[in-house]
Amino acid sequence: MSDKKTDNNIVLENVHLNLNTSAGQISILRGISLKIKSGESVAIIGPSGGGKTTLIMAIAGLEKISSGSLRVAGVETSELGEDDLAVSRRENFGIVFQDFHLIPTMTATENVVVPLEISGSKDPFNAARKALEAVNLGHRLKHYPGELSGGEKQRVAIARAFALRPNILLADEPTGNLDAKTGSEIMDILFALNKQNNTTLMLVTHDSQLADQCQRHILLQDGEIAKNVVMNKSDD
């Protein structure tokens, strides 16, 4: 098991990620070096195509880096095989996608139950109910995704990501498909859960209000870190 108290629980050193295409090799990440502390909230910002989503997918082990070192909770994940990477994701990560990725034939509760059952939770339905209640969806437990609003779907996705109390939450444009009011509610939920559980929060976002609530801004341009700025030094 990973040590969830590791101070720098995400460490990248000179990480490169290249893709081979019919037009030749494309460099997506170019020498990324970065340390993220346990419990820190970080906004990954920058223009489209700069490598933001690829960066968090690499951290989660969903994209394989080409070279460099990538450690999560003290484990060199770049050297792990697919089975061990799956274990690392289960132990350490919750992931929230912009498009929710809910299973349409399952209720809100059942969508949250899936990762709990995979992890061997003794009472997955009770844990799922509590997770949904924590994001103010106790009245939508038996509703299917098609019966939920965009904001409610995102809250189900957040409940699913937080149900296992992950060490790290990665979110790709979590407010991108939502109106301003609903997006603000989602922001409040994310940061409340971040503080309650001391969860490391990494958010890819174009939303300046969401980014401004984070302790650190990392500006990614053309696959490189252009700026790495601590916004709240009292929490550093």
Side-chain angles (χ1 to χ4, degrees):
M1 295 290 288
S2 305
D3 179 4
K4 294 195 174 187
K5 294 183 180 180
T6 302
D7 185 29
N8 286 308
N9 68 344
I10 303 172
V11 180
L12 291 82
E13 296 179 354
N14 197 28
V15 166
H16 291 258
L17 192 152
N18 306 317
L19 294 180
N20 293 315
T21 72
S22 57
Q25 190 176 82
I26 299 175
S27 296
I28 308 298
L29 299 178
R30 307 179 183 190
I32 300 292
S33 294
L34 182 63
K35 294 182 180 180
I36 307 295
K37 295 191 298 184
S38 179
E40 190 173 8
S41 58
V42 180
I44 310 296
I45 59 176
S48 297
K52 301 186 299 297
T53 295
T54 300
L55 175 61
I56 64 168
M57 292 299 100
I59 289 170
L62 293 169
E63 294 278 2
K64 187 171 181 61
I65 66 173
S66 303
S67 62
S69 172
L70 200 169
R71 297 192 298 279
V72 175
V75 175
E76 182 65 44
T77 59
S78 61
E79 297 178 352
L80 299 180
E82 288 301 320
D83 290 345
D84 289 332
L85 279 173
V87 171
S88 175
R89 279 193 294 274
R90 187 172 69 238
E91 288 185 351
N92 292 294
F93 291 101
I95 305 174
V96 178
F97 299 97
Q98 181 177 353
D99 294 326
F100 318 131
H101 288 197
L102 301 180
I103 301 170
T105 57
M106 290 185 171
T107 65
T109 300
E110 290 167 341
N111 266 279
V112 179
V113 160
V114 169
L116 289 163
E117 287 188 328
I118 291 172
S119 71
S121 173
K122 294 182 179 179
D123 193 355
F125 280 88
N126 185 50
R129 176 183 58 79
K130 289 181 178 179
L132 287 164
E133 287 175 348
V135 296
N136 304 317
L137 281 182
H139 60 304
R140 291 283 191 262
L141 300 179
K142 297 182 180 180
H143 287 68
Y144 291 89
E147 300 170 324
L148 302 174
S149 69
E152 288 171 335
K153 290 177 185 177
Q154 191 61 296
R155 280 189 273 165
V156 174
I158 291 170
R160 181 179 59 188
F162 268 105
L164 291 171
R165 297 189 177 276
N167 187 24
I168 302 159
L169 182 83
L170 305 174
D172 190 5
E173 296 285 1
T175 61
N177 284 333
L178 308 176
D179 60 69
K181 180 177 182 298
T182 306
S184 179
E185 293 171 354
I186 294 300
M187 283 191 285
D188 291 343
I189 289 169
L190 282 170
F191 286 100
L193 293 170
N194 159 248
K195 291 176 182 177
Q196 290 167 14
N197 299 298
N198 195 39
T199 301
T200 304
L201 196 57
M202 292 192 71
L203 309 174
V204 168
T205 185
H206 287 98
D207 185 334
S208 60
Q209 287 186 310
L210 178 57
D212 286 346
Q213 290 195 44
C214 292
Q215 295 168 327
R216 198 179 347 166
H217 288 182
I218 294 172
L219 174 61
L220 210 60
Q221 292 181 325
D222 296 325
E224 298 178 328
I225 294 177
K227 290 184 180 179
N228 184 352
V229 182
V230 174
M231 306 302 292
N232 187 348
K233 294 186 178 180
S234 63
D235 290 330
D236 188 35

